[in-house]
Amino acid sequence: MRFRHLACHVFLCGLASSFAQNANAICSPLINYERVVGDTANDKNCTDNDIQSAINNAVCPNTTIYITGEHLYKSQHLLIQDKSLSLVGTSSATCNIGVGNNLLDTTPTAPLITLSGAGHSGDSVISIHGNSHVTLQYLEVTGGASDTDQFGGGVYFGGQGALTLDTDTIDNNFAGYGGGINAFGEGGALTITIKQNTLILDNRAQFNGGGIRIEGSTHLYMLEDGSSVAFNQAEGLDQNNQPSGGEGGGIAIYGPAIADIASPGTLVGTVSENSATYGGGIAAIGTSSGRAIARLFSVSSTRPVLLEQNRASASGGAVYVEPKDDSINAILCAGNFRFALNTAPSGAAIFGAIESASGGFIFLNAFDKDDSCLSADVTALGGVNCTQGVECNDFYQNSAIDESNAITQGAIIEGNGSDVTANRISMRQNNAHNLVHFIDSVESIFNTCRLTDNHSTSALIDVAGSKDNSVTGLSSSTIAGNQIDSGPVIVANCELVLTRMLVYQPTVRSVNFSQECVAGSYSASDTITTDISNFPANSTNILQSDTPRFVDATNADPDKRDYHLTAFAQAGLVTASPAIDFGSSANGSDLDRNPYNVDVPLVSNGAGPRDVGAYEAQPITDRIFGDAFGDAISLLR
């Protein structure tokens, strides 16, 4: 049942007048209350002449306020206090929004009504306070201009409850903090839900949170298709327009706030072309109130969450992670993602920073590995793995460069005192001083990864530890085809563990290890590499080889290069990559999520049936016992 608040409804209006101090007592959960904003002087179907009046007159929870095209809505500064309501833009030119004359006949994919703050400087376009539950639908919120010491140029929410954005555009707003949206959960939990077809575009913050800024007990959800946070800026300028450091060009998260971001994006990436001093796309900052968590995952098996072309002028082109201290950390959990074309002088894709000891954590594709990523929650929110063959868990063409596009001393994934755990990721065609560089981390773990066709001016992986428990581990990964101008493939100086690695870099040294930690150690096993000159004497099952035999590692188009292993039969002979069936058995699955320990019958086993590197060869059973005369016949699919 729908119920419009019109003067003719004497019973309800009389009660509302008599018992205003207890308005909820006259409200029924069976009634959908409506108000319609338009030209009351000329249209008797309108209940309110302006939006603020409709908000003030909405005495019952779950009231829908339809906003028609009878007015232009400029100089807006709307205040919502302790209300449960929806503001809905309509395509109707009258307040008669019955069937045949309103948005209900179609499902809009873009805003229908614009709410502009132009002409009302110093305020948010929409300010929400107290215990409120508000939905904005089919609206453009633009032109908000809060003062530089204020929060939320387009939308501000301070309190508890919920804000839902559905098919909205929040654009061209400005504030000191949270140019597009600022949400501060206090007095209780606050959820911000960005639904389908919602764009946060071209907003600016003087200091941090160009597009969105969340803090306190706030949980941001951005899970549905067709939504993006793009072209926003956290300028990082002080009152004299001098650089002071801005955080989170697209999204700024201040602990104990949490952000779950999984939308595939729109025509641009999910978080795209934003800029800041720290964290061009996203900044997650621990505070004295608690840790900050940013979780990136996918709700589409073919379109992973995408962070692209974000820029930081200092650190963290796509993501910047900064804990408060040892006990209050900041966490990035990313699974089924893609980082592409992001830039920064340090940490072109990701930078983890802390001034003291370890406290920042970067988990890449580790939802099934670590409780800190709350994997059950991700599954419940619709998180899925990418379909095989989709470019996923991929760092592609990111660059550690300065404003003149010169390569800096930075890396693609970089940390100072932060830890990284990476499972099943690819790093391709990136450009930096190092591909990976961590200082004083407790753990730097890379498992089942592909690092190919990158350019580094120094060591590809450089991990410097000063703690006795610092460990660098690389296992079941393929490193090949990279241009390394100077230095070895891997540099480590505390504890280094290499297992089931395939390293094909024939012109450079594979490893430089120096035991600078008291309890440091170095071990290697089940590994094939082009150089063993700095391998430990007690290494087991190590082979030096210049013939890895990849499917196609030299294609003129680097996007088409294929680093899977080959095995073929011809003229009664079998030719196979030495990495096939070389290592001892171990649990798990390869970069394609194919099972390990798959024996290729015509290939002799080394220590066992496990292949080394990122890929496990999968035999074609009906070709194994072919005559193998004439043209070469591949034994693998």
Side-chain angles (χ1 to χ4, degrees), residues 184-455:
F184 179 26
E186 57 181 342
L190 171 59
T191 61
I192 309 296
T193 303
I194 296 177
K195 300 189 74 174
Q196 61 186 348
N197 304 315
T198 296
L199 306 176
I200 314 297
L201 305 176
D202 291 304
N203 301 284
R204 294 185 302 116
Q206 182 84 2
F207 302 108
N208 48 61
I212 302 172
R213 183 181 185 273
I214 60 173
E215 62 177 322
S217 301
T218 304
H219 197 143
L220 169 67
Y221 296 95
M222 184 177 172
L223 308 178
E224 296 189 14
D225 201 354
S227 294
S228 293
V229 178
F231 312 111
N232 303 285
Q233 183 179 6
E235 297 174 335
L237 301 176
D238 63 19
Q239 302 295 343
N240 298 315
N241 288 322
Q242 296 301 310
S244 63
E247 299 164 340
I251 302 172
I253 306 159
Y254 293 91
I258 301 172
D260 281 310
I261 302 169
S263 171
T266 55
L267 295 177
V268 296
T270 313
V271 180
S272 178
E273 298 189 58
N274 304 283
S275 62
T277 310
Y278 303 98
I282 299 171
I285 312 293
T287 73
S288 57
S289 298
R291 71 179 182 178
I293 300 177
R295 296 194 301 181
L296 309 176
F297 56 99
S298 180
V299 292
S300 168
S301 62
T302 58
R303 297 167 59 211
V305 63
L306 173 60
L307 279 72
E308 66 171 351
Q309 298 189 64
N310 299 287
R311 166 73 182 172
S313 59
S315 303
V319 180
Y320 179 84
V321 181
E322 181 180 303
K324 173 66 174 175
D325 50 37
D326 288 2
S327 61
I328 302 177
N329 55 40
I331 298 174
L332 167 66
C333 294
N336 300 298
F337 59 85
R338 193 160 190 248
F339 286 69
L341 299 163
N342 301 286
T343 61
S346 297
I350 300 171
F351 189 94
I354 187 169
E355 294 181 357
S356 56
S358 180
F361 297 95
I362 299 167
F363 299 103
L364 303 177
N365 203 26
F367 288 112
D368 57 345
K369 298 290 185 181
D370 191 279
D371 290 339
S372 296
C373 287
L374 306 174
S375 57
D377 288 355
V378 169
T379 301
L381 293 173
V384 296
N385 288 324
C386 292
T387 301
Q388 186 170 325
V390 172
E391 293 175 342
C392 190
N393 299 312
D394 188 31
F395 292 84
Y396 176 75
Q397 290 190 355
N398 303 282
S399 297
I401 54 177
D402 60 21
E403 292 183 355
S404 64
N405 293 325
I407 297 177
T408 65
Q409 297 295 302
I412 303 302
I413 302 176
E414 188 167 353
N416 185 355
S418 295
D419 294 351
V420 60
T421 300
N423 294 282
R424 293 195 186 92
I425 69 167
S426 294
M427 301 187 73
R428 304 177 299 124
Q429 301 177 49
N430 300 283
N431 191 33
H433 186 66
N434 307 115
L435 196 63
V436 176
H437 184 205
F438 277 81
I439 300 173
D440 291 342
S441 62
V442 173
E443 288 188 337
S444 300
I445 306 298
F446 288 79
N447 177 57
T448 315
C449 300
R450 168 185 165 179
L451 281 60
T452 59
D453 302 302
N454 302 285
H455 172 220

Side-chain angles (χ1 to χ4, degrees), residues 41 544 552:
Q544 182 171 344
D552 182 5

Side-chain angles (χ1 to χ4, degrees), residues 19 39 49 53 73 76 181 273 277 329 338 390 550 598 613 617:
F19 302 102
D39 184 1
N49 195 60
S53 295
Y73 301 94
Q76 298 295 299
I181 300 171
E273 298 189 58
T277 310
N329 55 40
R338 193 160 190 248
V390 172
F550 298 120
V598 177

Side-chain angles (χ1 to χ4, degrees), residues 12 18 90 151 192 198 219 342 344 400 531 589:
L12 178 63
S18 301
T90 80
F151 298 79
I192 309 296
T198 296
H219 197 143
N342 301 286
D531 169 65
S589 56

